[in-house]
Amino acid sequence: MARGKVQMRRIENPVHRQVTFCKRRAGLFKKAKELSVLCDAQIGIMIFSSHGKLYELVTNGSMDGLIKKYKNASEDAQSEVSEANPQDAEREAIMLKQEINLLHKGLRYMYGIQTNEHMNLDELHALERYLEIWMCNIRSVKMQMMFQEIESLKSKEGILKAANMLLQEKQIVEQNGLMDTPQMVATEQNVHFGAPYIADIVNPLTVYTDYSYSYSGFRGSEMGYSY
């Protein structure tokens, strides 16, 4: 029967946790001993349980001797690093100084300053390489600035379009208001000149028109209402 995959997380059951700790510790010590025998290696292991109990294994010698050996090895490694750091810093300073001198010389040549110094082929190649790097950097910065400018213009365009739409809507509303004004004026004029309303006529079916004529022509007409 195949074993299931063990999830790498803390075992909550204290009994199961203690059993697993004992089994895994014994397996680790066994593998360390096998490695020491097979490869003639000096191995030291220290394990503290969850209760604070110490378990240790040393294949050759004692734990104190192994710890001293570790300290001496770590101090030697740190001293080598500290000795290498000044050399690296000095080497880097020399390289930077050479680059600065080359750039100063190239600038004097580009500005046409006559000097007794002459650039050899290697210096010219190096200067050409630096110029290409500068041009690439300048182009990249230029493209970034152009993209930012384009984005700014796009945002301004959107703001102007929104403002234009608002102005058009406002103009349409004002035009509709002006078109409604003459109709209101005409209604007010009809009321002012005494045009009869349907509401004022009590019985609209009794409205009659009396026309009187004479030999001299049309005399006039009167409109009356019967109540």
Side-chain angles (χ1 to χ4, degrees):
M1 184 175 179
R3 295 178 58 186
K5 185 177 180 180
V6 179
Q7 296 181 359
M8 290 294 107
R9 63 180 182 181
R10 184 176 181 272
I11 300 173
E12 299 298 333
N13 192 331
V15 177
H16 294 170
R17 186 168 59 245
Q18 184 64 28
V19 172
T20 302
F21 174 75
C22 295
K23 289 182 178 180
R24 295 292 179 105
R25 184 194 68 212
L28 179 61
F29 286 171
K30 181 179 179 182
K31 294 294 182 182
K33 292 178 181 178
E34 291 177 356
L35 179 61
S36 176
V37 173
L38 293 174
C39 301
D40 195 16
Q42 189 174 4
I43 300 173
I45 299 175
M46 288 191 300
I47 300 175
F48 289 91
S49 67
S50 58
H51 301 288
K53 187 175 180 180
L54 173 63
Y55 299 90
E56 62 180 14
L57 169 70
V58 180
T59 56
N60 294 321
S62 63
M63 183 63 71
D64 293 335
L66 190 61
I67 292 173
K68 290 180 181 179
K69 189 175 182 180
Y70 169 76
K71 289 182 178 179
N72 294 330
S74 60
E75 290 176 358
D76 294 338
Q78 291 178 358
S79 63
E80 289 178 0
V81 171
S82 61
E83 290 177 357
N85 287 334
Q87 294 178 358
D88 294 338
E90 185 178 358
R91 190 182 302 109
E92 186 176 358
I94 293 171
M95 291 176 63
L96 291 174
K97 187 176 180 181
Q98 291 176 356
E99 291 181 2
I100 292 170
N101 292 332
L102 177 61
L103 295 177
H104 279 300
K105 188 184 293 185
L107 289 173
R108 287 194 295 269
Y109 269 80
M110 285 189 290
Y111 284 110
I113 300 174
Q114 299 295 331
T115 58
N116 295 326
E117 298 177 350
H118 295 284
M119 298 182 70
N120 55 26
L121 187 60
D122 294 335
E123 291 177 345
L124 290 172
H125 283 305
L127 183 61
E128 183 180 6
R129 186 173 63 255
Y130 290 140
L131 290 174
E132 290 176 354
I133 294 172
W134 295 341
M135 290 298 296
C136 291
N137 294 333
I138 291 170
R139 290 192 185 98
S140 63
V141 173
K142 183 180 177 181
M143 292 299 293
Q144 291 178 1
M145 294 178 67
M146 290 176 65
F147 284 139
Q148 291 176 358
E149 188 68 21
I150 290 171
E151 293 296 329
S152 177
L153 292 175
K154 285 182 179 180
S155 63
K156 290 180 181 179
E157 182 183 2
I159 294 171
L160 292 175
K161 284 183 178 179
N164 190 15
M165 291 177 64
L166 290 174
L167 291 175
Q168 289 180 358
E169 293 176 356
K170 185 178 179 181
Q171 187 177 4
I172 292 171
V173 172
E174 291 178 352
Q175 290 178 356
N176 292 332
L178 293 174
M179 291 175 65
D180 294 337
T181 302
Q183 298 178 1
M184 296 175 64
V185 171
T187 304
E188 291 177 357
Q189 289 178 356
N190 293 332
V191 173
H192 179 71
F193 288 108
Y197 286 102
I198 301 300
D200 295 335
I201 302 173
V202 177
N203 191 1
L205 297 178
T206 60
V207 176
Y208 65 91
T209 303
D210 184 14
Y211 295 93
S212 298
Y213 296 90
S214 64
Y215 293 102
S216 61
F218 178 74
R219 184 169 61 84
S221 63
E222 295 178 356
M223 182 175 289
Y225 304 88
S226 64
Y227 296 92

